[in-house]
Amino acid sequence: MASGAEPGVLGLVRRGHEERILALLRARGPLSRAEIARLSGLSRSTLSDIVGALQERGAVVTTTAAATGRRAPGRPAELITLNPAAGRTLGMDFGHRRVHVAVADAAQQVAATGTRSYARSTPWARRVRIACALVESFRVDLGPLTGVGVGVTGPVPRDRDGRPGGAAREVAEAVGEHFGVPVAADNNTRLAALAEAVRGAGAGSSDLVYVRLSDGVGGGIVADGRLLRGADGTAGEIGHVPVDPEGAPCGCGGRGCLETYASIPAVLDASGSDDLPGALAALEAGDAAARAAFERAGRALGLVLAGVCNTVAPERVVVGGELAAAGGALLGPAEEALRRHALPMVRGDLRLSPAALGPGAGALGAIALVAHDSPLLAGYPFLMAGGTPV
């Protein structure tokens, strides 16, 4: 059994080495082999093997210090750099009321980003047309577009052929038809969790719980360095964990779910505000009803997070979504409730922090999904419209 498992383990280690080198090149630009070895801690033989494989895939190319404008004494050093001809990728996050779109280059650096709103009742086909029109408005050369990642609300099941099911399939096929490239699909909040774990507030954590408080409440879980998908794509549905089984009805069919306490509609209803900017303004002005609504949401969030953390024992909890803009008024009660109800051994080194990537995190996660080069995605199903998992 050990020998049979070895290729998988070696593959995971290799992917981790590749991502380490690619991350260094994204962050620092062209580097010499000696610089990469020093920064990555990889041996010369391992580095040579990994760089060679990346060159064969066309992910990196060689250049010189003179070509990059760097001053190098003596003989011009050969530098390794990301391949600018590797093409661009698109990320789309289709939320309940808005779509976020990002265009990135081969280094996953964002070249353009934007948002368009729509009514919650807008059909998926219309949402796709809005997103595609938004991309065209960027006036960015997409070059050789290599792929598109899309995130949608709700679970994303797999059909018998390994393709995304439900609304995700409809969206992915429509986007793929428009751009003529493969499209990978997943839950949009789980993609936001991926982005925060790769380049946001959770970077460097191998065990992470992410929750997004928006028109709905969703989440994502990274355990032992892997993003969890779960059966039928339902992992991370934190918003439908009950706070009070006798509470208000929830859209999922249950009662008293976290979403009935800590979503935008729930906070607006509790505070008597017409919209979120109004609720935040009232909070800032010291309005008692607004403060009570955000504190109520925070306490409910902390209670649910305690249960989740007692189960998966993360080292970090990241809270994103529009409601996180309330800051300490929400996050303070959430952390207090979390620490009160979490096991001592769980809460010891646990950190709770606001998300770092803003409302576009899901689109950035969709780009990371298409690249599929993060160790967090090792073994993760790659659901593509018209294709099969890889």
Side-chain angles (χ1 to χ4, degrees):
M1 292 180 63
S3 61
E6 186 176 349
V9 173
L10 291 177
L12 180 61
V13 172
R14 184 183 186 88
R15 178 166 285 185
H17 292 337
E18 290 181 350
E19 173 56 22
R20 194 181 311 173
I21 292 173
L22 292 172
L24 284 171
L25 295 175
R26 291 181 195 124
R28 296 172 178 263
L31 295 170
S32 68
R33 291 174 187 266
E35 289 171 327
I36 296 174
R38 176 175 56 81
L39 293 168
S40 67
L42 298 176
S43 68
R44 289 185 173 228
S45 59
T46 299
L47 178 63
S48 178
D49 181 43
I50 298 299
V51 169
L54 291 173
Q55 286 178 309
E56 287 182 10
R57 295 212 315 260
V60 301
V61 294
T62 59
T63 185
T64 64
T68 62
R70 286 179 52 174
R71 294 184 178 181
R75 181 181 174 184
E78 181 183 77
L79 302 179
I80 307 299
T81 186
L82 293 164
N83 185 1
R88 294 190 187 272
T89 54
L90 286 176
M92 297 180 171
D93 174 359
F94 291 91
H96 289 294
R97 299 179 186 274
R98 63 194 62 82
V99 61
H100 298 283
V101 176
V103 182
D105 59 20
Q108 294 187 35
Q109 298 300 310
V110 176
T113 185
T115 304
R116 287 287 186 275
S117 298
Y118 42 68
R120 188 163 185 153
S121 59
T122 302
W124 285 109
R126 172 62 180 158
R127 297 185 190 196
V128 170
R129 290 196 295 272
I130 291 172
C132 292
L134 177 56
V135 174
E136 293 170 1
S137 74
F138 292 156
R139 300 190 183 281
V140 171
D141 180 14
L142 296 180
L145 186 64
T146 58
V148 181
V150 300
V152 301
T153 55
V156 178
R158 283 183 285 182
D159 67 14
R160 293 180 178 178
D161 297 321
R163 294 172 298 184
R169 181 169 179 175
E170 177 185 348
V171 172
E173 289 182 344
V175 172
E177 181 178 351
H178 182 89
F179 291 104
V181 295
V183 179
D186 210 320
N187 171 266
N188 64 336
T189 304
R190 193 155 52 243
L191 292 179
L194 173 63
E196 289 287 349
V198 170
R199 60 164 77 185
S205 297
S206 59
D207 293 274
L208 167 77
V209 170
Y210 171 83
V211 60
R212 179 157 69 174
L213 311 177
S214 186
D215 292 297
V217 176
I221 299 171
V222 173
D224 289 334
R226 304 234 187 148
L227 182 67
L228 300 185
R229 186 174 187 278
D232 289 329
T234 56
E237 287 293 338
I238 296 171
H240 299 292
V241 175
V243 175
D244 177 5
E246 304 301 321
C250 179
C252 71
R255 301 187 71 91
C257 297
L258 177 61
E259 194 164 291
T260 67
Y261 290 82
S263 64
I264 292 175
V267 169
L268 296 184
D269 183 63
S271 67
S273 302
D274 294 329
D275 53 32
L276 183 57
L280 291 172
L283 176 67
E284 181 69 22
D287 181 79
R291 177 161 293 278
F294 282 104
E295 288 179 350
R296 173 177 178 266
R299 287 194 300 271
L301 173 62
L303 178 63
V304 169
L305 284 174
V308 175
C309 292
N310 284 343
T311 303
V312 299
E315 58 186 338
R316 188 171 299 181
V317 172
V318 176
V319 181
E322 293 93 328
L323 283 186
L330 182 144
L331 297 182
E335 183 160 19
E336 181 181 349
L338 169 59
R339 296 198 176 280
R340 182 186 310 124
H341 296 287
L343 292 169
M345 64 184 68
V346 170
R347 66 175 182 254
D349 296 324
L350 184 63
R351 294 174 53 194
L352 184 148
S353 59
L357 300 178
L364 297 177
I367 288 170
L369 179 69
V370 174
H372 217 73
D373 60 4
S374 170
L376 297 177
L377 295 172
Y380 193 86
F382 195 37
L383 307 186
M384 300 185 67
T388 56
V390 296

